[in-house]
Amino acid sequence: MISVIVPVYNVEKYLSRCVDSILSQTYKDFEIILFDDGSTDSSGKICDDYAQRFNCVRVLHSPNGGLSAARNRGRAASKGDYITFVDSDDVILPDYLESLYNLIIQYNADISLCEFQFFYDDSEIKKEFPSSEDKCFPGLEAMTNMLYGRIHGSSACAILLKSEIAKKFDFQIGKYHEDDLISFRYFEASDKVVVTSKKLYCYFQREGSIMHSSFGRIALDELDAADYIETECFHYGGKILDAARAKKFFNYRDVLFTYPNLKTLSPDTYHRVSSELRKISMNIIKDSWLGRRVRLSAFIYKYFGVNICIFVHNKLGI
């Protein structure tokens, strides 16, 4: 059985769309755990209504503790052999569970994952893919590719994994970018990971979501996550450490590009970003696993500085 864990917090507008997409799966051996994280709108009632109508739906109610706590407690209550996380404003295609489960069985893997497609309220969700490609990796090789951004995996969504692996690692309470802090652990603990290029998980982009908030703890946690991954991968050395530093470059650069006036917003954070990018830029320039545009970005930063780097990014997307 597969346990589908859905943290719920004030998403009354989107919740039914999400749950209906799970109930419509072609693979039928699943349970849905709706964890109502202290919602103040009608989300909790919607959850209860689904539980009354469908035997496969269970609801847990709790005072608000945040996304990490909701995922941890939903996972602890799960009964499935496999676990997948679905955010309550997102949608999964009808063959999401079946495709990911079949990949695990076919390749005797611990984890399977698909790609995202992104949509807004008025955009169309694509349900047909003329061709797709599956790739299978040893766990550490998958982790390396994920940190480099070659495959999806930095999100806890769009992944199906064995329950025993999911239950080894807790999401960190009170942290944003909690997925960064845990997803690489999944790969590290697995023997085999299989990836499909099918875009079976539909990520809903909305302005009111956590990741569209203003500068603050979110940005700092993104930097902290990158530092943590680099520290935890240091003992591996070699390509894994290179990949961790590439991930760090991506995270730090993302904060810099998201907040181009960072020097004014937070001088300390600006100094931290500037200093760390300077330290690792030569590693990025020399890393043949990275694309030319990424290495060019590092080159511009190292030899021309932050302002030129931001200018070139805004003009050319580099």
Side-chain angles (χ1 to χ4, degrees):
M1 182 171 71
I2 297 174
S3 295
V4 184
I5 299 171
V6 184
V8 176
Y9 180 70
N10 289 354
V11 284
E12 59 183 7
K13 181 179 177 181
Y14 312 105
L15 182 55
S16 292
R17 180 181 66 187
C18 173
V19 179
D20 288 344
S21 77
I22 304 171
L23 290 170
S24 300
Q25 292 297 294
T26 55
Y27 183 90
K28 299 301 182 183
D29 188 15
F30 64 85
E31 64 171 354
I32 304 174
I33 299 177
L34 301 176
F35 193 97
D36 172 31
D37 189 34
S39 296
T40 56
D41 63 3
S42 64
S43 295
K45 182 180 183 304
I46 294 172
C47 290
D48 290 335
D49 289 344
Y50 272 104
Q52 290 177 2
R53 293 163 50 204
F54 299 96
N55 292 332
C56 63
V57 178
R58 287 194 285 145
V59 179
L60 303 174
H61 296 279
S62 174
N64 181 251
L67 178 61
S68 291
R71 283 176 172 169
N72 287 340
R73 293 186 62 183
R75 181 201 56 189
S78 67
K79 300 176 181 178
D81 302 302
Y82 299 92
I83 285 175
T84 189
F85 297 98
V86 177
D87 286 348
S88 53
D89 51 357
D90 293 339
V91 171
I92 55 176
L93 295 189
D95 56 340
Y96 171 83
L97 293 181
E98 182 176 9
S99 295
L100 294 186
Y101 177 75
N102 285 343
L103 285 172
I104 285 180
I105 299 304
Q106 179 182 348
Y107 290 93
N108 191 27
D110 301 306
I111 298 173
S112 62
L113 54 139
C114 65
E115 293 295 338
F116 289 95
Q117 59 173 292
F118 301 91
F119 74 103
Y120 297 87
D121 265 330
D122 58 350
S123 61
E124 182 182 358
I125 296 175
K126 297 179 181 178
K127 298 183 180 181
E128 295 182 4
F129 308 100
S131 62
S132 63
E133 183 180 10
D134 303 334
K135 294 181 179 180
C136 192
F137 304 92
L140 289 179
E141 186 178 339
M143 184 178 80
T144 301
N145 277 276
M146 182 273 288
L147 293 174
Y148 269 116
R150 291 182 163 198
I151 63 173
H152 147 64
S154 60
S155 171
C157 298
I159 293 178
L160 180 67
L161 65 160
K162 288 182 176 178
S163 178
E164 62 197 61
I165 294 178
K167 292 183 177 181
K168 277 185 180 180
F169 309 104
D170 289 337
F171 290 93
Q172 292 192 25
I173 306 297
K175 287 284 188 181
Y176 300 106
H177 288 273
E178 63 284 329
D179 290 8
D180 270 354
L181 296 169
I182 197 173
S183 58
F184 79 100
R185 293 296 194 195
Y186 293 154
F187 295 99
E188 190 177 38
S190 66
D191 291 324
K192 198 180 294 184
V193 176
V194 59
V195 182
T196 178
S197 61
K198 289 182 179 179
K199 297 179 179 181
L200 302 172
Y201 189 101
C202 307
Y203 178 83
F204 180 51
Q205 296 182 299
R206 58 189 176 100
E207 291 302 319
S209 66
I210 289 174
M211 301 314 293
H212 286 90
S213 301
S214 58
F215 174 81
R217 189 69 252 171
I218 295 173
L220 295 177
D221 283 353
E222 184 172 3
L223 303 181
D224 289 347
D227 290 350
Y228 174 76
I229 292 170
E230 182 187 31
T231 299
E232 292 301 302
C233 290
F234 188 83
H235 70 282
Y236 286 113
K239 211 67 214 165
I240 294 177
L241 180 56
D242 287 343
R245 286 174 174 159
K247 172 66 174 170
K248 181 172 182 174
F249 181 79
F250 295 146
N251 280 31
Y252 270 70
R253 190 181 62 165
D254 181 61
V255 170
L256 182 65
F257 290 161
T258 302
Y259 308 101
N261 58 337
L262 184 61
K263 190 173 185 178
T264 302
L265 290 170
S266 176
D268 288 344
T269 305
Y270 175 84
H271 176 74
R272 173 183 176 182
V273 170
S274 179
S275 175
E276 289 300 313
L277 284 175
R278 186 176 299 112
K279 287 180 184 178
I280 62 174
S281 58
M282 187 54 70
N283 294 84
I284 303 303
I285 293 169
K286 294 180 177 180
D287 193 337
S288 61
W289 273 45
L290 291 167
R292 291 181 180 179
R293 292 171 69 88
V294 175
R295 286 183 285 161
L296 177 58
S297 177
F299 179 88
I300 293 170
Y301 179 82
K302 181 170 180 61
Y303 293 105
F304 297 94
V306 172
N307 291 336
I308 298 299
C309 190
I310 293 174
F311 175 82
V312 172
H313 170 73
N314 290 337
K315 290 292 184 181
L316 303 177
I318 296 176

